[in-house]
Amino acid sequence: MRLADSFRSERFGAVRIHELQRVIELDSGSSEALRAVESQMVVVVPCMNETRSVIEGVLSGIPHDCLIVLVSNSDRQPVDRYEIEAQTVEQFCRLAGRSAITVHQRDPGVAAAVKAAGMPELIDDDGLVRAGKGEAMLLGMALAAMTGRQYIGYVDADNYVPGSVHEYCKAYAAGLAQADSPYAMVRISWHSKPKLRDGRLFFSRKGRSSQITNEWLNRFLAEYSGFGTEVIATGNAGEHAMTLALGLKLRIAGGFAVEPYEYMDLFEQFGGVLESTDPDVMASSVPVLQIETRNPHFHDNKGEEHVRGMRMQALNVLYHSPVTLPAVRQSILDFLIEQGALATGQEPPRERTYPPVGTLDLDLLYDALDAEALSFRQPDGLALTGRPPAPPIDRASIPRRVA
Ligand code: GDD
């Protein structure tokens, strides 16, 4: 893959946000650097009640050397949809000769493991891991960390175009290979979303939620610098990747606040406004590469209410951040009241946030998952076809906690 050069970036303390880079060609003829990253990358697929054939397509798009981790919150009754998903992943592993990890977020054994590993905040009143996409991503990151691989990427399970999943993963690898820091992030801005309008296909350029989230994140930056900016184009990017060295230090927000909060947490921890507890990151900088991909993003449409909820969660996060300047906070409030999302005198609710995955005791997490979580599977396509086994997690070499 060849990316356009990125000449311009904006700094916020140690965070260096690069202007959107286009994909020049999907295949640039040399793949060694990309494969080196892919063989160290875990791709987490959060999945809740998606269609089997769509999930199968998504799996087929994830490059061979990446390790797949599927974290499900699908219904288990009346039909056990997780069982169908786990079988789909296992069959894929057998056919493709690769391995994967699958787990169900609401498995009581997973909750026990999370508690044992030291993150009771993730458990709800029913004693289970909370539902939510951010929560699934957190679990996925913990599993990724146990594998000892260096990178993590996320792709949604409801993507109808396997070719776009493939392109996202290639863009992760290309961006991470280019980034000149151990603490790097790559975020995707898809080129267009096809929609039917008056019987014609229309390729819309902007997402209904992203438009608002990006505008406010840019206002956040502009209030500090005194210069208007449009540098942030990926505030809601569900498709994104990072080095695990960075990921393990980030606090993670629940639900759909997760992606905008990644930006805010970078600003809070490494923006230089609040005192950083991490001199190492401050010294090496945190590049955020934003890549505009070529394939259209064609996924399940979950409706206007869903999009409104997502937008609100982004603004809630921005409003409550300790680094958001008062003028921006007031404008967010005015905007939400004007939109009818809040009544006068009301405050936006606070989104739930969790400690960094790096604070978890991964040895304890693994042992409890292994002993108690019935949904925790590690299909090994090599062993399934009679070749030497290659389980994704080697108990003996699980990395120590980092924070
Ligand atoms: N495990 C798990 N648990 N998966 C979930 C959950 C959950 O509680 N909620 C949603 N998912 C899965 C869905 O099955 C899908 O694969 C993916 O997470 C995204 O959820 P959607 O509900 O389809 O979100 P969306 O497509 O409207 O929004 C996506 O794009 C936005 C940017 O345009 C998401 O990725 C957002 O996070 C992103 O901001």
Side-chain angles (χ1 to χ4, degrees):
M1 174 172 279
R2 189 185 311 277
L3 303 177
D5 288 335
S6 156
F7 295 111
R8 294 211 308 198
S9 63
E10 292 216 14
R11 294 288 299 228
F12 191 83
V15 185
R16 192 158 23 96
I17 307 164
H18 289 259
E19 257 183 9
L20 201 58
Q21 292 170 260
R22 278 184 313 133
V23 171
I24 302 285
E25 52 181 358
L26 291 169
D27 181 349
S28 64
S30 92
S31 60
E32 280 316 300
L34 296 202
R35 286 200 68 182
V37 177
E38 286 163 9
S39 63
Q40 283 296 319
M41 181 143 69
V42 175
V43 174
V44 174
V45 185
C47 178
M48 189 165 84
N49 298 328
E50 307 298 350
T51 317
R52 181 179 193 272
S53 55
V54 178
I55 299 171
E56 233 176 357
V58 168
L59 300 178
S60 76
I62 299 173
H64 182 84
D65 294 332
C66 299
L67 177 75
I68 296 170
V69 171
L70 183 126
V71 183
S72 173
N73 187 18
S74 299
D75 298 343
R76 305 211 66 177
Q77 279 175 339
V79 173
D80 190 347
R81 298 182 69 143
Y82 173 67
E83 219 33 70
I84 299 174
E85 292 160 4
Q87 278 167 20
T88 305
V89 173
E90 186 185 319
Q91 189 187 27
F92 172 76
C93 286
R94 188 175 318 120
L95 295 173
R98 54 199 282 186
S99 43
I101 302 173
T102 68
V103 76
H104 195 281
Q105 191 171 343
R106 306 278 290 166
D107 176 342
V110 173
V114 164
K115 260 191 260 173
M119 206 183 284
E121 300 89 334
L122 201 58
I123 311 299
D124 69 8
D125 292 342
D126 296 327
L128 300 176
V129 168
R130 293 179 199 282
K133 186 186 178 227
E135 287 78 357
M137 288 170 54
L138 190 161
L139 277 183
M141 189 182 287
L143 293 167
M146 286 192 239
T147 68
R149 291 189 175 215
Q150 288 175 32
Y151 305 104
I152 182 165
Y154 293 98
V155 294
D156 288 350
D158 66 341
N159 191 325
Y160 293 130
V161 185
S164 74
V165 173
H166 191 67
E167 185 186 6
Y168 298 150
C169 295
K170 291 288 170 192
Y172 299 161
L176 289 166
Q178 209 176 73
D180 50 355
S181 161
Y183 307 106
M185 184 181 275
V186 175
R187 301 173 76 90
I188 301 295
S189 169
W190 36 259
H191 177 263
S192 63
K193 216 180 229 183
K195 297 200 169 119
L196 265 185
R197 261 195 210 165
D198 303 326
R200 279 183 68 198
L201 255 190
F202 178 76
F203 290 88
S204 163
R205 292 276 288 159
K206 289 180 175 164
R208 289 168 292 173
S209 176
S210 307
Q211 216 167 334
I212 305 276
T213 307
N214 293 339
E215 187 188 318
W216 285 99
L217 282 169
N218 284 318
R219 276 226 216 171
F220 164 90
L221 291 177
E223 193 64 26
Y224 273 97
S225 68
F227 288 88
T229 178
E230 292 187 347
V231 72
I232 296 185
T234 56
N236 274 118
E239 269 70 26
H240 61 286
M242 62 194 110
T243 59
L244 266 168
L246 175 64
L248 294 178
K249 291 178 188 290
L250 290 185
R251 292 168 292 193
I252 295 180
F256 291 108
V258 57
E259 285 100 4
Y261 185 67
E262 286 169 347
Y263 266 118
M264 295 316 295
D265 196 41
L266 289 179
F267 298 152
E268 288 173 22
Q269 290 202 56
F270 313 122
V273 178
L274 307 176
E275 201 176 331
S276 176
T277 51
D278 227 310
D280 188 36
V281 182
M282 295 305 284
S284 53
S285 97
V286 183
V288 178
L289 278 74
Q290 304 182 94
I291 301 178
E292 183 181 275
T293 46
R294 290 276 164 183
N295 279 274
H297 189 77
F298 194 18
H299 70 146
D300 197 25
N301 184 349
K302 303 206 162 88
E304 189 53 45
E305 193 51 40
H306 174 75
V307 174
R308 216 185 338 263
M310 215 176 261
R311 225 162 27 212
M312 278 294 291
Q313 292 180 54
L315 293 181
N316 296 343
V317 158
L318 247 158
Y319 179 87
H320 285 290
S321 172
V323 294
T324 299
L325 290 173
V328 174
R329 196 171 290 139
Q330 183 58 47
S331 307
I332 292 175
L333 206 56
D334 295 344
F335 174 76
L336 289 172
I337 291 170
E338 183 191 301
Q339 295 280 305
L342 284 181
T344 314
Q346 248 186 336
E347 271 224 317
R350 263 180 205 279
E351 297 299 328
R352 214 177 275 283
T353 58
Y354 304 104
V357 172
T359 60
L360 285 169
D361 185 319
L362 296 179
D363 284 333
L364 290 181
L365 184 71
Y366 181 82
D367 289 341
L369 282 176
D370 196 35
E372 296 185 50
L374 298 180
S375 71
F376 177 55
R377 323 255 166 93
Q378 298 190 64
D380 178 350
L382 293 175
L384 287 169
T385 50
R387 281 171 282 175
I393 300 173
D394 174 6
R395 173 66 184 83
S397 44
I398 291 178
R400 304 266 110 215
R401 72 171 95 191
V402 295

